[in-house]
Amino acid sequence: LGSPDIAVIDASWHLPAAGRDARAEFHAARIPGAQFFDIDELSDTGNSLPHMLPTPEKFSSRMRKLGIGDGKRVIAYDAAGLFSAARAWWMFKVFGHDDVAVLDGGLPKWIAEGRPLDDGLPLKPQERHFTARYQSMMVRDLAEVAVALESGSGQVADARSASRFRGEEAEPRAGVRAGHMPGARNVHYASLLN
């Protein structure tokens, strides 16, 4: 944790129905030195769809303010063990920062092992230069996904639970229709975790 080339981020995010406040939980208990990676704010907030990628400029600006710069190794964790930290990991990859990892077991494992915690407001980090290099090959838009499904040139994996995939369980976000894209395959993210 004390290494100058390490940046730890808490990328906790909870579904709206959970009634939890990730930022408040971060202030109550976090890994020492961690900064809060706000997934809601680190998005294209001008888009009516939730969590669309921000511009490279916005991502760079926010990373600088978190003290994350070129040459830093980023370690992401979340309060669930592994849920939203993977989103932060992917965002760093999309913006060309490959030296990023997800903490195995996240905050629950950290706490279970009796490791130290901080609380209160974190120290403001020294700003660093961060260069976002958008990796377009890692992102597909609606038209590209539609073509892939129609032609069979690609496969869509839906990481939600089987009951949500089949439309048997209500979606936890308002305005999201039940069911799945025609041709998508269900691979619930939790089935891939030990």
Side-chain angles (χ1 to χ4, degrees):
L1 287 178
S3 178
D5 64 337
I6 297 290
V8 179
I9 58 170
D10 182 328
S12 296
W13 181 84
H14 306 290
L15 288 166
R20 294 175 67 180
D21 182 337
R23 187 179 293 273
E25 290 178 19
F26 167 78
H27 289 147
R30 67 178 172 276
I31 293 176
Q35 295 293 316
F36 187 68
F37 186 94
D38 189 339
I39 289 175
D40 287 324
E41 199 280 326
L42 271 163
S43 64
D44 179 359
T45 52
N47 193 315
S48 63
L49 298 171
H51 302 134
M52 297 295 105
L53 281 171
T55 64
E57 295 78 16
K58 181 176 182 178
F59 193 80
S60 289
S61 170
R62 298 312 188 272
M63 293 311 99
R64 282 194 297 270
K65 289 177 180 166
L66 291 178
I68 299 171
D70 300 338
K72 284 269 192 177
R73 178 169 178 78
V74 178
I75 310 296
Y77 73 88
D78 63 47
L82 181 58
F83 181 63
S84 50
R87 167 66 183 212
W89 174 88
W90 176 75
M91 289 176 72
F92 277 98
K93 295 284 191 175
V94 165
F95 289 113
H97 191 90
D98 289 327
D99 201 1
V100 58
V102 173
L103 180 64
D104 184 23
L107 189 60
K109 183 177 179 188
W110 184 271
I111 291 170
E113 291 176 349
R115 296 183 184 274
L117 293 170
D118 274 350
D119 61 9
L121 292 174
L123 294 175
K124 184 175 178 177
Q126 177 183 353
E127 288 195 21
R128 307 230 183 252
H129 178 76
F130 185 93
T131 306
R133 297 173 310 280
Y134 182 67
Q135 308 297 306
S136 62
M137 71 293 238
M138 293 184 68
V139 180
R140 297 294 176 261
D141 65 20
L142 179 63
E144 291 169 315
V145 171
V147 166
L149 287 170
E150 179 74 25
S151 67
S153 63
Q155 180 63 63
V156 172
D158 186 322
R160 298 171 303 150
S161 67
S163 60
R164 285 177 62 198
F165 178 80
R166 292 189 301 264
E168 299 166 354
E169 179 183 341
E171 284 298 317
R173 292 193 233 197
V176 177
R177 291 185 346 206
H180 61 273
M181 293 179 209
R185 298 291 175 99
N186 186 219
V187 183
H188 186 209
Y189 80 91
S191 71
L192 303 174
L193 303 176
N194 180 358

